[in-house]
Amino acid sequence: MSVEETHPAQTPIGRDASVSLVIVGFGTAGGARLSGYGSVPGVEVAAVVDPSPERRAQAARLLPHGLVLSSLEEVLAAAPGVDVVDVCTPPAFHGPLTRAALSAGRHVICEKPVATRGAEARELTALARARGRLLFPSHNYGTSPVMTTLREAVAGGSPASGGGVGHLESATFRILRDRHARGVAGYSPDWRRSPELAGGGILLDHGTHCVYMALRLFGRAPVKLSCTVERPGGDRSAVDEAARLRLDFGDGQCDIELSWTSGERSNHYAVRGSSGSVRIDDAEVTGRTAGGEWRRSLVSPSKDQTHLEWFTPMYEDFRRALADPGAWGVCAREIVDTARVVEAAYASADAGGRTVAV
């Protein structure tokens, strides 16, 4: 008898009900997730999955009363009460693991990018819908102080800021790094440089964050875009290490600049509208709105690539969605649109930066 056959269909899980969860992939993201789940109520990490004996030993030390195994199939067979599978692996494994978890009747949280191609995103979201399960993207920048500030500016601003920017006309994101983020010892620390494991370079990695942030700010997908990328030594078989992307929303645009080779670490975001602008330079916010010019500071984001401080609000979003099937389609649409945009960006780059439809 298969795992799928032993589990009847589940109903949405209410906010007050406890959740049993398995973390798949115990690298940087998986380790941070285990820590994060320990700080929120109503969740039990029942198991951790990782192919590396070294990482499994680390997980066993941190989760002495849970299962620590080498495959998701083993966990689902040994722990039939697991409600949610949290996929924290490199991108090459997101699709197969998400597909297996949904087919076995589990809700899924998946690290970005959930899918590297639009067709796969549509397939996975269709499977989630057919199985009556939530597929939730781990889009943690969506609950960051930066995104909260930008959304507030676009939505009309706060009394403290003197109003919003009016109708959104343009956005600019510039993310500069002096290197790519490295993984843990024990499993391919430089997997982000591997086309086979990562599926792409900085455009797929940090670019995914920028794309879904733009989708949320403009409230829809762009109609067309253009993109150029840089690869080390011009080697087309290597992953991209810098990218420039313009998203055209018809009545507005978003320009995105990304680099792993800038020699510095900095973050710049800006939105401009019909009645003002707001810009964020690392943790400093400057506004020019109806209320005049103003300035304030954000809590500076940690340099830890997991940004664990953003976990709790993201998990709250997940629990709200898990209790409300009406929200599941919103998650699915963001997964599909994000994958479509990134796929179109690579197509534009392959065509020398030509503008392509999304």
Side-chain angles (χ1 to χ4, degrees):
M1 184 178 294
S2 70
V3 171
E4 180 177 345
E5 292 170 337
T6 64
H7 293 277
Q10 297 173 326
T11 57
I13 301 175
R15 296 286 303 280
D16 296 329
S18 61
V19 168
S20 177
L21 179 144
V22 54
I23 296 171
V24 185
F26 200 64
T28 302
R33 284 283 216 286
L34 181 58
S35 178
Y37 287 124
S39 67
V40 295
V43 61
E44 174 202 16
V45 178
V48 168
V49 171
D50 199 279
S52 163
E54 180 180 339
R55 298 308 299 166
R56 290 199 301 274
Q58 174 69 4
R61 287 191 289 271
L62 297 172
L63 193 69
H65 303 297
L67 294 171
V68 179
L69 299 169
S70 61
S71 75
L72 178 59
E73 287 183 347
E74 290 178 285
V75 167
L76 296 182
V82 165
D83 302 299
V84 178
V85 174
D86 189 347
V87 178
C88 297
T89 65
F93 307 107
H94 290 180
L97 287 166
T98 296
R99 195 173 295 111
L102 291 171
S103 297
R106 275 38 175 222
H107 301 284
V108 176
I109 302 170
C110 186
E111 261 298 324
K112 60 80 189 167
V114 176
T116 60
R117 298 290 184 270
E120 183 180 43
R122 288 187 289 270
E123 176 208 342
L124 293 175
T125 54
L127 177 59
R129 185 167 58 250
R131 298 296 298 171
R133 304 297 182 266
L134 169 63
L135 174 53
F136 183 86
S138 178
H139 288 172
N140 63 338
Y141 273 67
T143 52
S144 68
V146 164
M147 188 62 184
T148 298
T149 300
L150 294 175
R151 292 188 77 162
E152 184 180 79
V154 171
S158 67
S161 67
V165 300
H167 176 72
L168 181 60
E169 297 173 346
S170 67
T172 303
F173 304 155
R174 186 167 66 248
I175 312 299
L176 305 180
R177 299 290 184 265
D178 55 3
R179 62 179 177 83
H180 64 284
R182 299 191 78 240
V184 297
Y187 184 84
S188 190
D190 288 316
W191 62 261
R192 282 181 172 81
R193 289 281 187 177
S194 164
E196 294 75 25
L197 292 175
I202 194 171
L203 174 59
L204 184 64
D205 185 35
H206 207 109
T208 291
H209 289 305
C210 293
V211 167
Y212 68 70
M213 290 173 71
L215 297 180
R216 293 187 186 190
L217 290 175
F218 283 90
R220 60 194 184 279
V223 293
K224 57 186 177 180
L225 61 80
S226 59
C227 179
T228 59
V229 301
E230 297 174 14
R231 305 177 192 273
D235 183 357
R236 293 181 63 84
S237 67
V239 300
D240 46 289
E241 57 187 8
R244 290 180 180 269
L245 175 62
R246 170 165 288 184
L247 308 181
D248 186 338
F249 291 87
D251 61 349
Q253 67 185 38
C254 180
D255 289 301
I256 300 169
E257 179 184 351
L258 308 164
S259 178
W260 277 338
T261 60
S262 68
E264 64 174 290
R265 180 186 177 90
S266 65
N267 305 282
H268 167 81
Y269 301 89
V271 288
R272 182 178 297 277
S274 56
S275 59
S277 63
V278 170
R279 61 178 291 156
I280 304 172
D281 295 290
D282 292 321
E284 295 301 313
V285 187
T286 304
R288 293 180 176 85
T289 56
E293 296 188 11
W294 50 272
R295 183 183 300 271
R296 64 186 174 91
S297 295
L298 297 177
V299 175
S300 183
S302 69
K303 293 187 177 180
D304 172 8
Q305 69 197 62
T306 66
H307 299 298
L308 188 56
E309 66 269 28
W310 303 344
F311 173 81
T312 298
M314 189 194 78
Y315 183 71
E316 279 298 306
D317 278 356
F318 167 69
R319 288 307 304 260
R320 281 191 290 269
L322 190 58
D324 178 17
W328 297 4
V330 176
C331 297
R333 185 163 56 251
E334 184 167 286
I335 290 168
V336 172
D337 284 346
T338 300
R340 289 196 306 118
V341 170
V342 174
E343 181 177 20
Y346 276 116
S348 171
D350 288 343
R354 178 174 56 86
T355 297
V356 300
V358 176

